[in-house]
Amino acid sequence: MTEFWLISAPGEKTCQQTWDKLMVATTRTNNLSTNHKLNIPDLKVGTLDVLVGLSDELAKLDTFVESVVKKVAQYMADVLEDSRDKVQENLLANGVDLVTYITRFQWDMAKYPIKQSLKNISEIISKQVTQIDTDLKARASAYNNLKGNLQNLERKNAGSLLTRSLADIVKKEDFVLDSEYLITMLVVVPKTSYNDWNKTYETLAEMVVPRSTKMIIEDNDSGLFNVTLFRKAVDDFKHKARENKFTVREFQYNEEEMKADKEEMTRLSTDKKKQFGPLVRWLKVNFSEAFIAWIHIKALRVFVESVLRYGLPVNFQAMLLQPNKKNMKRLREVLYDLYKHLDSSAAIIDASMDIPGLNLSQQEYYPYVYYKIDCNLLDFKV
């Protein structure tokens, strides 16, 4: 289960008592959740007005940073292509897996100095993650273009003889070249019609060179044959071939062009390999940065919301619950019983009720401060 409930409740006589009560109610007797304290340092509170404004700003920032975290994770999965089972081991925060990072959360004093105001800290995070988002767009665009061009070339060199590029199949000796009168054509013949071809190709037009055909290659369905004829008979030959269900491929033997195609494919393939390593490294580093920023926003939100709800002086315990999947409904009920005294109005408010002036659709409302952290960041199961 990769979902966490980040909650806070006011300190009783001490914050330790609040913690002990939660442990007794949810863990010691009924195994509803695995719990951890979330340590939030002594942040600067500021004025009430600033806190109210910040509460809204942090909600938007939370949504934005979560979307960037998911984008980086998803792009990591796209870049790793065939190694998607390796995605999870690359999605780390500070070198550890996400669950470990969250459950052992320590505020990063160097990145987000607590001597700064709460607003400044949120602006530092906003700038940092906006930069990651901008860089990701640029890097993804460059890599996707490269990958797309390579795939187009690979597609040309794959598939059936009816559609694929013939440049890497034919050889110079398969053609009569530099002749004023003669031309060699390439024809795709279904396997079931080889006999028909051999019997009829000389008579499909008036000026076909006798015994000038041979099979160059075959795939599962058909074979590629060459045939030499006079240039003036080309249109007639094409028409008759079509009537007999033989497909003439438009192809001119040009060594320069064929060489350029091969070189382009080699170049793109080399470029993609060159960019792959640095790109994966960048994604790993910046996924970690964005995820760390996201969890710091959650901590900021709990702090701001707890001060707004429970008042000053700052006295609350932030707690991280990892619900037991089977008992989520029961856990919700136990938490309600434990904290309903904090807000009597929460007893009558059901998030599904539509009460004018009360916008509950965006956020579930409980008598305690509550935020969800969902670590399942990919839209597929690894």
Side-chain angles (χ1 to χ4, degrees):
M1 182 74 191
T2 50
E3 182 178 307
F4 289 92
W5 295 357
L6 180 51
I7 71 167
S8 84
E12 313 262 335
K13 285 199 177 72
T14 64
C15 287
Q16 185 60 37
Q17 270 182 306
T18 306
W19 170 254
D20 291 341
K21 262 192 177 176
L22 176 83
M23 289 300 283
V24 169
T26 63
T27 303
R28 300 215 173 114
T29 53
N30 47 16
N31 189 28
L32 296 179
S33 59
T34 307
N35 306 331
H36 305 266
K37 286 181 182 177
L38 189 90
N39 297 310
I40 301 175
D42 295 331
L43 299 166
K44 282 189 164 181
V45 176
T47 66
L48 187 64
D49 280 358
V50 169
L51 287 183
V52 171
L54 202 56
S55 176
D56 287 342
E57 280 170 37
L58 286 172
K60 288 177 193 146
L61 188 56
D62 188 345
T63 304
F64 168 65
V65 176
E66 181 179 2
S67 78
V68 174
V69 167
K70 285 183 170 170
K71 266 193 265 183
V72 178
Q74 195 56 51
Y75 196 60
M76 173 85 83
D78 294 348
V79 169
L80 288 174
E81 293 176 47
D82 302 331
S83 316
R84 285 193 158 197
D85 52 332
K86 302 262 192 312
V87 177
Q88 221 64 55
E89 66 195 56
N90 284 296
L91 297 180
L92 303 174
N94 248 359
V96 297
D97 67 85
L98 306 185
V99 170
T100 303
Y101 176 78
I102 293 173
T103 53
R104 295 185 192 162
F105 175 76
Q106 292 292 324
W107 187 274
D108 191 325
M109 301 287 183
K111 272 192 193 132
Y112 313 116
I114 59 170
K115 287 194 168 66
Q116 301 255 4
S117 70
L118 295 174
K119 192 158 179 52
N120 280 6
I121 294 172
S122 79
E123 279 167 5
I124 291 168
I125 293 175
S126 179
K127 270 190 195 142
Q128 178 199 7
V129 179
T130 301
Q131 190 59 54
I132 291 173
D133 192 39
T134 306
D135 289 353
L136 175 66
K137 281 176 189 152
R139 285 167 188 267
S141 172
Y143 189 74
N144 289 351
N145 280 342
L146 187 61
K147 192 167 139 186
N149 292 340
L150 185 59
Q151 279 170 340
N152 286 340
L153 274 182
E154 283 169 346
R155 217 172 281 127
K156 268 171 67 179
N157 289 319
S160 78
L161 290 170
L162 290 166
T163 54
R164 64 167 295 173
S165 164
L166 303 176
D168 59 338
I169 292 173
V170 295
K171 298 184 181 67
K172 193 173 183 178
E173 52 268 29
D174 296 326
F175 295 83
V176 171
L177 298 168
D178 308 322
S179 164
E180 194 180 334
Y181 300 107
L182 294 173
I183 184 170
T184 300
M185 307 200 67
L186 298 176
V187 184
V188 178
V189 179
K191 273 190 173 173
T192 50
S193 307
Y194 286 178
N195 278 343
D196 292 350
W197 167 256
N198 286 319
K199 279 183 201 158
T200 60
Y201 80 91
E202 291 177 2
T203 58
L204 290 177
E206 281 193 342
M207 297 179 166
V208 177
V209 177
R211 294 194 293 285
S212 63
T213 193
K214 75 164 193 248
M215 184 162 70
I216 297 169
I217 194 172
E218 68 178 347
D219 64 13
N220 294 336
D221 307 308
S222 44
L224 181 72
F225 290 78
N226 62 355
V227 59
T228 302
L229 55 147
F230 279 74
R231 288 180 184 274
K232 57 168 75 167
V234 165
D235 288 343
D236 197 22
F237 181 84
K238 281 183 183 173
H239 179 67
K240 286 279 181 6
R242 200 162 43 243
E243 281 181 0
N244 284 275
K245 307 240 175 349
F246 306 138
T247 307
V248 175
R249 289 287 311 264
E250 297 295 337
F251 184 83
Q252 275 189 321
Y253 188 86
N254 181 324
E255 276 185 340
E256 291 303 308
E257 272 180 31
M258 286 156 67
K259 191 173 156 206
D261 267 6
K262 275 182 190 159
E263 281 170 359
E264 174 69 353
M265 190 145 174
T266 307
R267 184 185 70 76
L268 288 172
S269 185
T270 309
D271 277 3
K272 187 183 167 198
K273 281 187 191 123
K274 263 192 208 155
Q275 286 193 25
F276 176 81
L279 179 59
V280 170
R281 278 194 295 282
W282 184 90
L283 289 166
K284 279 173 77 163
V285 167
N286 286 278
F287 173 81
S288 175
E289 292 294 309
F291 189 85
I292 289 167
W294 186 40
I295 303 306
H296 278 76
I297 289 169
K298 294 289 188 193
L300 277 178
R301 290 188 77 187
V302 166
F303 182 84
V304 169
E305 217 55 40
S306 300
V307 173
L308 285 173
R309 282 221 210 170
Y310 311 140
L312 290 169
V314 175
N315 178 30
F316 68 88
Q317 179 64 57
M319 300 166 281
L320 194 66
L321 283 60
Q322 194 172 4
N324 181 329
K325 199 171 185 179
K326 292 182 190 141
N327 298 327
M328 288 172 93
K329 191 166 182 291
R330 178 76 192 116
L331 177 60
R332 204 51 98 184
E333 288 163 1
V334 166
L335 291 177
Y336 178 73
D337 285 342
L338 203 54
Y339 300 124
K340 62 186 174 194
H341 65 281
L342 297 175
D343 186 349
S344 54
S345 64
I348 55 157
I349 293 174
D350 172 1
S352 61
M353 284 163 59
D354 188 17
I355 300 173
L358 217 100
N359 182 12
L360 289 171
S361 58
Q362 299 306 308
Q363 173 69 50
E364 299 145 292
Y365 185 77
Y366 301 101
Y368 47 92
V369 172
Y370 161 79
Y371 297 106
K372 185 165 89 167
I373 303 174
D374 187 353
C375 292
N376 191 24
L377 303 169
L378 300 167
D379 58 12
F380 64 89
K381 293 281 180 281
V382 179

